[in-house]
Amino acid sequence: MERGYRIRSKPNYETLMWREKASAQVVVAKGAGGLAVLQLFQQMYPTQPVTVFYVRGNGSDTDHSATLARVVGDAIKLFDSETDALYAFYRSLPDFRMGTRFYVSGTESFMWSLCKLAKLFDIQESEIMMELSNSLARPVYCVHCKGTTPDVTTNIATCSKCSRKLFVRDHFSRHLGAYMGLMVDAENPGEVPEIEEIYP
Amino acid sequence: MSTLNVRVAAIEQVTPLVKHFTLMREDGQHFPTFSGGSHVVVAMDINGRTHRNAYSLMGSPDDTEAYHISVRRQEHSRGGSVFMHDNVVEGSQLQITMPVNLFSLSKMGRKHILIAGGIGITPFMSQLHDIQRNGYNYELHYAFRSLEHGAFSDQLKARCGNHAHIYVDRLGQKLDLRELLGSQPLGTHVYVCGPSSMVTAVLETARELGWPENHIHSEQFTAPPMGDAFTVQLAKSKTEITVPNDITLLEALETAGVNPDSLCRGGACGRCELDVLELDGEIFHHDHYLSDAEKASNRKIMPCVSRARCTHMLLDI
Ligand code: FES
C-alpha cells in the first residue's frame, strides 16, 4: 500500500449512538455487530419505540443473541440467516413513519445490503448510522459479470457468480455498496499472484 | 447575469393585496421551460435605483408563451412590491432573469407534503404541475388569514380535490404540524413556503420528530429588512459606497457596477456570500445561511439581506 495515499471513496464508519431527536429507533445487526447494539443499550434504553433485527452469529462470527434478548426484551427479532433478517427489515419499512432513525452494525457486506434496501424507501445511506463490526471483510463487485461476492477477506477473490479471479481494489462504490474487483489474470490466464488474507 | 426583456400582458387583482402578472417576451420569442418551484428576479427602476425582487413562477412549466408571477403588496417594505402594484400597468416593460430553481421536488421522494402560508402558495402552483404530471403522491396544506386572502384557493380545490387541505386562520382552522409530520410514511418530503414563523415552525417540528435534513425543504421570500444607511469599502475595486436606507447592500453593489453572484436574494442559497476583512461596528445578519458561529465571527456577510452599523467595513470584492 502506498504511503500517505488516502482513498477518498472508502467509507468511514462511526460508533453507534442514539439520536435523541427521533420518533422511533430501528437497529439492525449481525453476529459480532451485536456488541455495538449492546453498547447502544448501555447508553440507555430509548424512550421511543424500538425494534432490533439481529442475525445470530455462527461459525467464526460471535453470537450475542442470548445477551441481546435479555437486554432488549420483546423488541428483538432474531434470525438465523442474513437474507431472512434483511427481508423482514424490508417488509417492515412501510410500517415505520418519518422520524424513524436507523442504526446498523455488521460486516460491510451486510451494512451495504441493508442500505440498498433502505434506498428503495428513499432512506439515504447518510441517514443510517453504521458501525463496522470486528471484521474488515469486503463486499466485492465483479466489473465483468456484475455479481457481488460478500465478505471477502483476501487480496484476490473468486467471484461467486462467474468464478473469475478478482483483484480487490480500494475503490468503493456507494451506489453498488461494494469494492471494485478486476480480473487479475486477464492478460496471462492462469497467472494468479499469491492469495493472502488482508481483510481479516 | 443574462436577462430577458418582458412586457406585462395582463394584470389581475386576485385578492385585495395580491396581483397576478402575465409576462410575455418583448422579442416575441418563447420563454425557456423551467421546473416547478423556480423563480425569476424582476428588476425595477424606482427613482433611478434598481430594485430586484425574486418571484416564483406560477404557471405550467410547459407554457413557454407566458410567465406568471403574483405579487403581494407589502406596505411596510422597501417599495418593490408597492411599485409592482401602483406603477406597473398592462404594457409596462420589465427585465427578468432566467429562471432558477432552489426549491425543486425531490425525485426520489415517495410522498410530498406541501405547506403554504399566504402568498407562499406561489412556488407550489408550478410544482403542482410537476406533481400531477408525474402522478406523485402528495398533500397540499394551505393556510391563510381570512377568506378574502385565500388567493387561488378555489382554483386549488378544483385542481387538487381531496389532496388540498385549506386552513382559514380567522375561522379558527389550524394546521396541526405535529400530527401531520408525525404520521408520514418513510420517504416523505416536506416543503414549506410562507411567513418566517410558519417556516420556522415546520423546520423545528420536523427536526424534533427526527426527520433527516434532506427531507425538509423551505423557501422564503422575505423582503430584505430596511435599516439605516451605512458605508462600506471595497478592497478589490478600491472604492467606497454608501448603502441607502431603502436598498440592500447587494443592490447598492450592483448599482455601483460591482456584481457579486446572487441567486435567491433572500439569504437562503449562500451564493452572494462576501468576506468581511475589517469591521468597526456590527453586522445585522438576516440570512438563514450562515451558521451562528459564522454570524458571531462577523467575518462574513450575505449582502442580499444583511446590513450593518459601522463607519468602516472592508469587503473582499
Ligand atoms: S443571494 Fe442567496 S443568500 Fe444571498
Side-chain angles (χ1 to χ4, degrees):
Chain A
M1 202 179 265
E2 222 175 301
R3 289 196 184 198
Y5 179 72
R6 174 151 179 220
I7 295 103
R8 294 261 176 85
S9 61
K10 189 166 179 353
N12 289 317
Y13 302 103
E14 36 193 347
T15 301
L16 298 189
M17 296 241 284
W18 294 119
R19 290 180 156 122
E20 276 168 35
K21 291 187 172 157
S23 307
Q25 314 276 18
V26 171
V27 189
V28 190
K30 182 189 168 196
L35 194 65
V37 184
L38 289 170
Q39 267 161 3
L40 259 183
F41 279 85
Q42 247 170 45
Q43 286 163 30
M44 68 168 172
Y45 202 107
T47 48
Q48 302 86 355
V50 53
T51 315
V52 177
F53 297 82
Y54 181 68
V55 189
R56 291 190 181 91
N58 59 13
S60 60
D61 203 2
T62 331
D63 179 37
H64 295 283
S65 57
T67 324
L68 273 169
R70 236 181 354 262
V71 172
V72 178
D74 288 347
I76 198 162
K77 297 180 194 298
L78 295 169
F79 302 88
D80 285 319
S81 87
E82 181 172 323
T83 320
D84 289 351
L86 290 175
Y87 186 63
F89 166 77
Y90 178 70
R91 285 285 303 271
S92 69
L93 287 176
D95 304 334
F96 296 119
R97 306 288 97 189
M98 282 302 289
T100 305
R101 299 297 203 158
F102 296 92
Y103 311 79
V104 60
S105 180
T107 59
E108 277 191 288
S109 300
F110 180 70
M111 294 196 290
W112 288 91
S113 303
L114 179 121
C115 287
K116 272 197 248 174
L117 293 176
K119 208 170 241 166
L120 299 173
F121 278 78
D122 190 26
I123 305 157
Q124 306 304 315
E125 104 236 352
S126 59
E127 302 164 29
I128 303 174
M129 205 182 268
M130 293 191 249
E131 179 170 341
L132 186 63
S133 66
N134 63 357
S135 165
L136 300 179
R138 295 179 162 192
V140 176
Y141 176 82
C142 173
V143 302
H144 311 284
C145 80
K146 307 193 182 337
T148 299
T149 307
D151 297 326
V152 170
T153 57
T154 48
N155 58 339
I156 290 159
T158 307
C159 174
S160 58
K161 196 164 153 212
C162 70
S163 304
R164 283 185 178 88
K165 294 275 184 258
L166 303 174
F167 173 71
V168 180
R169 297 197 46 204
D170 279 325
H171 174 218
F172 185 85
S173 157
R174 279 165 194 265
H175 173 64
L176 301 163
Y179 293 85
M180 297 296 114
L182 258 76
M183 194 171 167
V184 76
D185 56 347
E187 261 143 52
N188 304 309
E191 240 177 71
V192 177
E194 200 180 329
I195 299 178
E196 299 166 344
E197 176 177 275
I198 56 171
Y199 311 116
Chain B
M1 218 187 309
S2 56
T3 55
L4 297 169
N5 293 317
V6 299
R7 190 171 39 79
V8 177
I11 300 179
E12 189 197 341
Q13 187 89 41
V14 191
T15 76
L17 291 175
V18 174
K19 275 187 176 179
H20 171 197
F21 297 81
T22 304
L23 311 175
M24 310 268 271
R25 271 176 78 152
E26 203 59 283
D27 58 10
Q29 304 263 320
H30 280 244
F31 284 110
T33 52
F34 60 95
S35 52
S38 298
H39 72 264
V40 293
V41 175
V42 179
M44 294 162 249
D45 186 5
I46 308 179
N47 304 325
R49 289 196 201 126
T50 308
H51 284 244
R52 290 188 172 84
N53 282 6
Y55 297 109
S56 297
L57 292 176
M58 309 175 52
S60 161
D62 300 326
D63 176 6
T64 55
E65 210 141 306
Y67 276 175
H68 300 269
I69 59 172
S70 283
V71 180
R72 181 187 196 279
R73 191 186 173 95
Q74 312 277 3
E75 218 48 82
H76 301 291
S77 78
R78 5 155 269 137
S81 67
V82 172
F83 179 85
M84 287 295 289
H85 272 254
D86 296 352
N87 299 65
V88 174
V89 293
E90 288 178 4
S92 292
Q93 297 176 344
L94 294 166
Q95 274 202 327
I96 65 169
T97 57
M98 292 289 186
V100 167
N101 200 345
L102 300 173
F103 197 47
S104 55
L105 294 164
S106 168
K107 293 197 182 61
M108 299 282 289
R110 293 166 58 89
K111 183 173 178 186
H112 306 271
I113 302 280
L114 317 179
I115 304 178
I119 192 67
I121 190 67
T122 55
F124 297 127
M125 301 293 281
S126 62
Q127 279 191 347
L128 282 167
H129 285 278
D130 285 353
I131 286 179
Q132 291 180 326
R133 174 162 10 110
N134 293 314
Y136 289 160
N137 183 7
Y138 77 102
E139 286 174 25
L140 170 70
H141 297 263
Y142 177 25
F144 46 85
R145 247 191 311 158
S146 59
L147 281 175
E148 57 170 5
H149 290 293
F152 318 107
S153 73
D154 291 339
Q155 184 190 333
L156 285 167
K157 269 187 252 170
R159 243 171 97 184
C160 307
N162 55 14
H163 294 278
H165 306 261
I166 310 275
Y167 309 83
V168 186
D169 209 30
R170 284 282 157 75
L171 304 181
Q173 299 165 340
K174 284 262 178 298
L175 165 58
D176 185 340
L177 284 176
R178 271 200 89 82
E179 164 81 28
L180 176 67
L181 299 179
S183 58
Q184 295 305 325
L186 289 180
T188 304
H189 288 250
V190 63
Y191 306 81
V192 57
C193 183
S196 64
S197 56
M198 173 187 244
V199 173
T200 313
V202 170
L203 298 185
E204 279 175 3
T205 309
R207 284 178 190 144
E208 204 53 49
L209 288 166
W211 283 53
E213 284 301 314
N214 54 356
H215 286 250
I216 313 172
H217 313 265
S218 67
E219 184 154 79
Q220 238 174 317
F221 290 120
T222 36
M226 293 174 286
D228 296 330
F230 61 102
T231 302
V232 297
Q233 289 76 29
L234 313 181
K236 292 205 181 106
S237 18
K238 301 202 175 26
T239 46
E240 176 170 290
I241 60 166
T242 298
V243 185
N245 67 320
D246 60 345
I247 77 168
T248 65
L249 172 54
L250 179 62
E251 287 165 336
L253 289 165
E254 287 165 343
T255 307
V258 185
N259 285 308
D261 276 348
S262 66
L263 270 184
C264 70
R265 306 182 80 91
C269 73
R271 190 62 77 90
C272 66
E273 178 177 319
L274 290 179
D275 285 330
V276 178
L277 302 173
E278 291 166 17
L279 174 75
D280 73 349
E282 62 177 317
I283 297 178
F284 304 112
H285 294 284
H286 297 299
D287 63 275
H288 319 283
Y289 179 77
L290 296 174
S291 67
D292 289 346
E294 284 172 318
K295 287 181 182 171
S297 78
N298 274 345
R299 304 277 285 277
K300 292 187 186 300
I301 187 168
M302 310 307 291
C304 62
V305 288
S306 297
R307 308 183 66 88
R309 175 163 54 218
C310 60
T311 57
H312 176 73
M313 171 157 74
L314 185 64
L315 295 176
D316 191 17
I317 185 164

CSV table of all heavy atoms in Angstrom, one decimal, chain A residues 20-24 93-94 96-102 119-124 126-127, chain B residues 106 108-110 181-189 206-212 214-215:
chain,number,residue,atom,x,y,z
A,20,GLU,N,-31.2,11.5,19.6
A,20,GLU,CA,-32.2,11.8,20.6
A,20,GLU,C,-33.5,12.3,19.9
A,20,GLU,O,-34.6,12.1,20.4
A,20,GLU,CB,-31.8,12.7,21.7
A,20,GLU,CG,-31.1,11.9,22.7
A,20,GLU,CD,-30.3,12.7,23.7
A,20,GLU,OE1,-30.7,13.8,24.1
A,20,GLU,OE2,-29.2,12.2,24.2
A,21,LYS,N,-33.3,13.0,18.8
A,21,LYS,CA,-34.5,13.5,18.1
A,21,LYS,C,-34.9,12.4,17.2
A,21,LYS,O,-34.4,12.2,16.1
A,21,LYS,CB,-34.2,14.8,17.3
A,21,LYS,CG,-33.9,15.9,18.3
A,21,LYS,CD,-33.8,17.3,17.7
A,21,LYS,CE,-33.7,18.3,18.8
A,21,LYS,NZ,-33.1,19.5,18.4
A,22,ALA,N,-36.0,11.7,17.6
A,22,ALA,CA,-36.4,10.5,16.8
A,22,ALA,C,-37.8,10.2,17.2
A,22,ALA,O,-38.2,10.5,18.4
A,22,ALA,CB,-35.5,9.4,17.1
A,23,SER,N,-38.6,9.6,16.3
A,23,SER,CA,-39.9,9.1,16.7
A,23,SER,C,-39.9,7.6,17.0
A,23,SER,O,-40.8,7.1,17.6
A,23,SER,CB,-40.9,9.4,15.5
A,23,SER,OG,-40.8,10.7,15.2
A,24,ALA,N,-38.9,6.9,16.4
A,24,ALA,CA,-38.8,5.5,16.6
A,24,ALA,C,-37.3,5.2,16.3
A,24,ALA,O,-36.7,5.9,15.5
A,24,ALA,CB,-39.7,4.7,15.7
A,93,LEU,N,-40.6,-1.9,6.5
A,93,LEU,CA,-40.4,-0.5,6.2
A,93,LEU,C,-41.7,0.3,6.0
A,93,LEU,O,-41.8,1.5,6.5
A,93,LEU,CB,-39.4,-0.3,5.1
A,93,LEU,CG,-38.0,-0.6,5.4
A,93,LEU,CD1,-37.1,-0.4,4.1
A,93,LEU,CD2,-37.4,0.3,6.5
A,94,PRO,N,-42.7,-0.3,5.4
A,94,PRO,CA,-43.9,0.5,5.2
A,94,PRO,C,-44.6,0.9,6.5
A,94,PRO,O,-45.4,1.8,6.6
A,94,PRO,CB,-44.8,-0.4,4.4
A,94,PRO,CG,-43.9,-1.4,3.7
A,94,PRO,CD,-42.7,-1.5,4.6
A,96,PHE,N,-43.1,1.9,9.3
A,96,PHE,CA,-42.4,3.0,10.0
A,96,PHE,C,-42.7,4.3,9.4
A,96,PHE,O,-43.0,4.5,8.3
A,96,PHE,CB,-40.9,2.7,10.0
A,96,PHE,CG,-40.4,1.5,10.7
A,96,PHE,CD1,-39.8,0.5,10.0
A,96,PHE,CD2,-40.7,1.3,12.0
A,96,PHE,CE1,-39.4,-0.7,10.7
A,96,PHE,CE2,-40.3,0.2,12.7
A,96,PHE,CZ,-39.7,-0.8,12.0
A,97,ARG,N,-42.7,5.3,10.3
A,97,ARG,CA,-43.1,6.7,9.9
A,97,ARG,C,-41.8,7.5,9.8
A,97,ARG,O,-40.8,7.2,10.3
A,97,ARG,CB,-43.9,7.4,11.0
A,97,ARG,CG,-45.2,6.6,11.5
A,97,ARG,CD,-46.3,6.7,10.4
A,97,ARG,NE,-46.2,5.4,9.6
A,97,ARG,CZ,-46.9,5.2,8.5
A,97,ARG,NH1,-47.7,6.1,8.1
A,97,ARG,NH2,-46.9,4.1,7.9
A,98,MET,N,-41.9,8.7,9.1
A,98,MET,CA,-40.8,9.6,9.1
A,98,MET,C,-40.4,10.0,10.5
A,98,MET,O,-41.3,10.3,11.3
A,98,MET,CB,-41.2,10.9,8.3
A,98,MET,CG,-41.3,10.7,6.8
A,98,MET,SD,-39.7,10.2,6.1
A,98,MET,CE,-38.7,11.7,6.3
A,99,GLY,N,-39.2,10.1,10.7
A,99,GLY,CA,-38.7,10.4,12.1
A,99,GLY,C,-38.1,9.1,12.7
A,99,GLY,O,-37.4,9.2,13.7
A,100,THR,N,-38.2,8.0,12.0
A,100,THR,CA,-37.6,6.8,12.5
A,100,THR,C,-36.1,6.9,12.2
A,100,THR,O,-35.7,7.2,11.1
A,100,THR,CB,-38.2,5.5,11.7
A,100,THR,OG1,-39.6,5.6,11.9
A,100,THR,CG2,-37.6,4.2,12.2
A,101,ARG,N,-35.3,6.5,13.1
A,101,ARG,CA,-33.8,6.6,12.9
A,101,ARG,C,-33.3,5.2,12.8
A,101,ARG,O,-33.8,4.2,13.4
A,101,ARG,CB,-33.2,7.3,14.1
A,101,ARG,CG,-33.6,8.7,14.3
A,101,ARG,CD,-33.3,9.6,13.2
A,101,ARG,NE,-33.2,10.9,13.6
A,101,ARG,CZ,-32.5,11.9,12.9
A,101,ARG,NH1,-31.8,11.5,11.8
A,101,ARG,NH2,-32.5,13.1,13.3
A,102,PHE,N,-32.3,5.0,11.9
A,102,PHE,CA,-31.8,3.7,11.6
A,102,PHE,C,-30.3,3.5,12.0
A,102,PHE,O,-29.5,4.5,11.8
A,102,PHE,CB,-31.9,3.4,10.1
A,102,PHE,CG,-33.3,3.4,9.6
A,102,PHE,CD1,-34.0,4.5,9.2
A,102,PHE,CD2,-34.1,2.2,9.7
A,102,PHE,CE1,-35.3,4.5,8.8
A,102,PHE,CE2,-35.4,2.2,9.3
A,102,PHE,CZ,-36.0,3.3,8.9
A,119,LYS,N,-32.7,2.4,0.5
A,119,LYS,CA,-32.8,3.4,-0.5
A,119,LYS,C,-34.1,3.2,-1.3
A,119,LYS,O,-34.6,4.2,-1.9
A,119,LYS,CB,-31.6,3.2,-1.4
A,119,LYS,CG,-31.2,4.5,-2.1
A,119,LYS,CD,-29.9,4.4,-2.8
A,119,LYS,CE,-28.9,5.4,-2.2
A,119,LYS,NZ,-27.5,5.1,-2.7
A,120,LEU,N,-34.6,2.0,-1.4
A,120,LEU,CA,-35.9,1.8,-2.1
A,120,LEU,C,-37.0,2.6,-1.5
A,120,LEU,O,-38.0,2.9,-2.1
A,120,LEU,CB,-36.2,0.4,-2.2
A,120,LEU,CG,-35.2,-0.5,-3.0
A,120,LEU,CD1,-35.6,-2.0,-2.8
A,120,LEU,CD2,-35.2,-0.1,-4.4
A,121,PHE,N,-36.8,3.0,-0.2
A,121,PHE,CA,-37.8,3.8,0.5
A,121,PHE,C,-37.3,5.2,0.7
A,121,PHE,O,-37.7,5.9,1.6
A,121,PHE,CB,-38.1,3.2,1.9
A,121,PHE,CG,-39.1,2.1,1.7
A,121,PHE,CD1,-38.8,0.8,1.3
A,121,PHE,CD2,-40.5,2.3,2.0
A,121,PHE,CE1,-39.7,-0.2,1.1
A,121,PHE,CE2,-41.4,1.3,1.9
A,121,PHE,CZ,-41.1,0.1,1.4
A,122,ASP,N,-36.3,5.6,-0.1
A,122,ASP,CA,-35.8,6.9,-0.1
A,122,ASP,C,-35.1,7.3,1.2
A,122,ASP,O,-35.1,8.4,1.7
A,122,ASP,CB,-36.9,8.0,-0.4
A,122,ASP,CG,-36.3,9.4,-0.7
A,122,ASP,OD1,-35.1,9.5,-1.1
A,122,ASP,OD2,-37.0,10.3,-0.4
A,123,ILE,N,-34.5,6.2,1.9
A,123,ILE,CA,-33.7,6.5,3.0
A,123,ILE,C,-32.3,6.4,2.5
A,123,ILE,O,-31.8,5.4,2.1
A,123,ILE,CB,-33.9,5.4,4.1
A,123,ILE,CG1,-35.4,5.3,4.5
A,123,ILE,CG2,-33.1,5.7,5.4
A,123,ILE,CD1,-35.8,4.0,5.1
A,124,GLN,N,-31.6,7.5,2.6
A,124,GLN,CA,-30.2,7.6,2.0
A,124,GLN,C,-29.2,7.0,3.1
A,124,GLN,O,-29.5,7.1,4.2
A,124,GLN,CB,-29.8,9.0,1.6
A,124,GLN,CG,-30.9,9.6,0.7
A,124,GLN,CD,-31.1,8.8,-0.6
A,124,GLN,OE1,-30.1,8.3,-1.2
A,124,GLN,NE2,-32.4,8.6,-1.0
A,126,SER,N,-26.7,8.3,4.2
A,126,SER,CA,-26.3,9.3,5.1
A,126,SER,C,-27.2,9.4,6.3
A,126,SER,O,-26.9,9.9,7.3
A,126,SER,CB,-26.2,10.7,4.4
A,126,SER,OG,-27.5,11.0,3.9
A,127,GLU,N,-28.4,8.8,6.2
A,127,GLU,CA,-29.4,8.8,7.3
A,127,GLU,C,-29.2,7.6,8.2
A,127,GLU,O,-29.9,7.4,9.1
A,127,GLU,CB,-30.8,8.9,6.7
A,127,GLU,CG,-31.0,10.1,5.9
A,127,GLU,CD,-32.3,9.9,5.0
A,127,GLU,OE1,-33.2,9.2,5.5
A,127,GLU,OE2,-32.4,10.5,3.9
B,106,SER,N,-38.0,16.6,-4.7
B,106,SER,CA,-37.1,15.5,-4.7
B,106,SER,C,-37.6,14.3,-5.5
B,106,SER,O,-38.7,13.8,-5.2
B,106,SER,CB,-36.8,15.1,-3.3
B,106,SER,OG,-36.1,13.9,-3.3
B,108,MET,N,-36.7,11.4,-5.8
B,108,MET,CA,-36.7,10.1,-5.1
B,108,MET,C,-37.8,10.0,-4.1
B,108,MET,O,-38.1,8.9,-3.6
B,108,MET,CB,-35.4,9.9,-4.3
B,108,MET,CG,-34.1,9.9,-5.1
B,108,MET,SD,-33.9,8.4,-5.9
B,108,MET,CE,-33.5,7.4,-4.5
B,109,GLY,N,-38.5,11.1,-3.8
B,109,GLY,CA,-39.5,11.1,-2.8
B,109,GLY,C,-40.6,10.2,-3.1
B,109,GLY,O,-41.0,10.0,-4.2
B,110,ARG,N,-41.2,9.5,-2.0
B,110,ARG,CA,-42.3,8.6,-2.2
B,110,ARG,C,-43.6,9.3,-1.9
B,110,ARG,O,-44.7,8.9,-2.3
B,110,ARG,CB,-42.2,7.4,-1.3
B,110,ARG,CG,-41.0,6.5,-1.8
B,110,ARG,CD,-40.6,5.5,-0.7
B,110,ARG,NE,-41.7,4.6,-0.4
B,110,ARG,CZ,-42.0,3.5,-1.0
B,110,ARG,NH1,-41.2,3.1,-2.0
B,110,ARG,NH2,-43.0,2.8,-0.6
B,181,LEU,N,-46.8,15.9,10.5
B,181,LEU,CA,-45.5,15.4,10.3
B,181,LEU,C,-45.1,14.1,11.0
B,181,LEU,O,-44.2,13.4,10.7
B,181,LEU,CB,-44.4,16.5,10.6
B,181,LEU,CG,-44.6,17.8,9.7
B,181,LEU,CD1,-43.6,18.8,10.1
B,181,LEU,CD2,-44.5,17.5,8.2
B,182,GLY,N,-45.9,13.9,12.1
B,182,GLY,CA,-45.7,12.7,12.9
B,182,GLY,C,-46.3,11.4,12.3
B,182,GLY,O,-46.1,10.3,12.8
B,183,SER,N,-47.0,11.6,11.2
B,183,SER,CA,-47.8,10.4,10.7
B,183,SER,C,-47.5,10.1,9.3
B,183,SER,O,-48.3,9.5,8.6
B,183,SER,CB,-49.3,10.6,10.9
B,183,SER,OG,-49.6,11.7,10.2
B,184,GLN,N,-46.3,10.5,8.8
B,184,GLN,CA,-46.0,10.3,7.4
B,184,GLN,C,-45.1,9.1,7.1
B,184,GLN,O,-44.2,8.8,7.9
B,184,GLN,CB,-45.3,11.5,6.8
B,184,GLN,CG,-46.1,12.8,6.8
B,184,GLN,CD,-47.4,12.6,6.1
B,184,GLN,OE1,-47.5,11.9,5.1
B,184,GLN,NE2,-48.5,13.2,6.6
B,185,PRO,N,-45.4,8.4,6.0
B,185,PRO,CA,-44.6,7.2,5.7
B,185,PRO,C,-43.2,7.5,5.4
B,185,PRO,O,-42.9,8.6,5.0
B,185,PRO,CB,-45.3,6.6,4.5
B,185,PRO,CG,-46.1,7.7,3.9
B,185,PRO,CD,-46.5,8.6,5.0
B,186,LEU,N,-42.3,6.5,5.5
B,186,LEU,CA,-40.9,6.7,5.1
B,186,LEU,C,-40.8,7.2,3.7
B,186,LEU,O,-41.6,6.8,2.8
B,186,LEU,CB,-40.1,5.4,5.3
B,186,LEU,CG,-39.9,4.9,6.7
B,186,LEU,CD1,-39.1,3.6,6.6
B,186,LEU,CD2,-39.1,6.0,7.5
B,187,GLY,N,-39.8,8.1,3.4
B,187,GLY,CA,-39.7,8.5,2.1
B,187,GLY,C,-40.5,9.8,1.7
B,187,GLY,O,-40.5,10.2,0.6
B,188,THR,N,-41.1,10.4,2.8
B,188,THR,CA,-41.9,11.6,2.6
B,188,THR,C,-41.0,12.8,2.6
B,188,THR,O,-40.0,12.8,3.4
B,188,THR,CB,-43.0,11.7,3.6
B,188,THR,OG1,-43.8,10.6,3.6
B,188,THR,CG2,-43.8,12.9,3.4
B,189,HIS,N,-41.2,13.8,1.8
B,189,HIS,CA,-40.5,15.1,1.8
B,189,HIS,C,-41.5,16.1,2.2
B,189,HIS,O,-42.7,16.1,1.8
B,189,HIS,CB,-39.9,15.4,0.5
B,189,HIS,CG,-38.7,14.5,0.2
B,189,HIS,ND1,-37.4,15.0,0.2
B,189,HIS,CD2,-38.6,13.2,-0.1
B,189,HIS,CE1,-36.6,14.0,-0.1
B,189,HIS,NE2,-37.3,12.9,-0.2
B,206,ALA,N,-40.3,19.3,12.3
B,206,ALA,CA,-39.8,18.1,11.6
B,206,ALA,C,-38.5,17.6,12.2
B,206,ALA,O,-38.3,16.4,12.4
B,206,ALA,CB,-39.5,18.5,10.1
B,207,ARG,N,-37.6,18.5,12.6
B,207,ARG,CA,-36.3,18.1,13.2
B,207,ARG,C,-36.6,17.5,14.5
B,207,ARG,O,-35.9,16.4,14.8
B,207,ARG,CB,-35.4,19.3,13.4
B,207,ARG,CG,-34.8,19.8,12.1
B,207,ARG,CD,-34.0,21.0,12.3
B,207,ARG,NE,-33.6,21.6,11.0
B,207,ARG,CZ,-33.5,22.9,10.7
B,207,ARG,NH1,-33.7,23.8,11.6
B,207,ARG,NH2,-33.1,23.2,9.5
B,208,GLU,N,-37.5,18.0,15.3
B,208,GLU,CA,-37.8,17.5,16.6
B,208,GLU,C,-38.3,16.0,16.5
B,208,GLU,O,-38.0,15.2,17.3
B,208,GLU,CB,-38.8,18.4,17.3
B,208,GLU,CG,-38.9,18.3,18.8
B,208,GLU,CD,-37.5,18.6,19.4
B,208,GLU,OE1,-36.9,19.6,19.0
B,208,GLU,OE2,-37.2,17.8,20.3
B,209,LEU,N,-39.1,15.8,15.4
B,209,LEU,CA,-39.6,14.4,15.3
B,209,LEU,C,-38.6,13.5,14.7
B,209,LEU,O,-38.8,12.3,14.6
B,209,LEU,CB,-40.8,14.5,14.3
B,209,LEU,CG,-42.1,15.1,14.9
B,209,LEU,CD1,-43.1,15.4,13.7
B,209,LEU,CD2,-42.7,14.2,15.9
B,210,GLY,N,-37.4,14.0,14.3
B,210,GLY,CA,-36.3,13.1,13.8
B,210,GLY,C,-36.3,13.1,12.2
B,210,GLY,O,-35.6,12.2,11.7
B,211,TRP,N,-36.9,14.0,11.6
B,211,TRP,CA,-36.8,14.0,10.1
B,211,TRP,C,-35.4,14.3,9.7
B,211,TRP,O,-34.8,15.3,10.2
B,211,TRP,CB,-37.8,15.0,9.5
B,211,TRP,CG,-39.2,14.6,9.4
B,211,TRP,CD1,-40.0,14.2,10.5
B,211,TRP,CD2,-40.1,14.7,8.3
B,211,TRP,NE1,-41.3,14.0,10.0
B,211,TRP,CE2,-41.3,14.3,8.7
B,211,TRP,CE3,-39.9,15.0,7.0
B,211,TRP,CZ2,-42.4,14.2,7.8
B,211,TRP,CZ3,-41.0,15.0,6.1
B,211,TRP,CH2,-42.2,14.6,6.5
B,212,PRO,N,-34.8,13.6,8.8
B,212,PRO,CA,-33.5,14.0,8.3
B,212,PRO,C,-33.5,15.3,7.5
B,212,PRO,O,-34.5,15.5,6.8
B,212,PRO,CB,-33.0,12.8,7.5
B,212,PRO,CG,-34.2,12.0,7.2
B,212,PRO,CD,-35.3,12.4,8.2
B,214,ASN,N,-32.3,16.2,4.7
B,214,ASN,CA,-32.5,16.2,3.3
B,214,ASN,C,-33.9,15.9,2.9
B,214,ASN,O,-34.2,15.8,1.7
B,214,ASN,CB,-31.5,15.3,2.6
B,214,ASN,CG,-31.5,13.9,3.2
B,214,ASN,OD1,-32.2,13.7,4.2
B,214,ASN,ND2,-30.8,13.0,2.6
B,215,HIS,N,-34.8,15.7,3.8
B,215,HIS,CA,-36.2,15.6,3.5
B,215,HIS,C,-37.0,16.8,3.9
B,215,HIS,O,-38.3,16.8,3.8
B,215,HIS,CB,-36.8,14.4,4.3
B,215,HIS,CG,-36.4,13.1,3.8
B,215,HIS,ND1,-37.2,12.2,3.1
B,215,HIS,CD2,-35.2,12.5,3.8
B,215,HIS,CE1,-36.5,11.1,2.8
B,215,HIS,NE2,-35.3,11.3,3.2
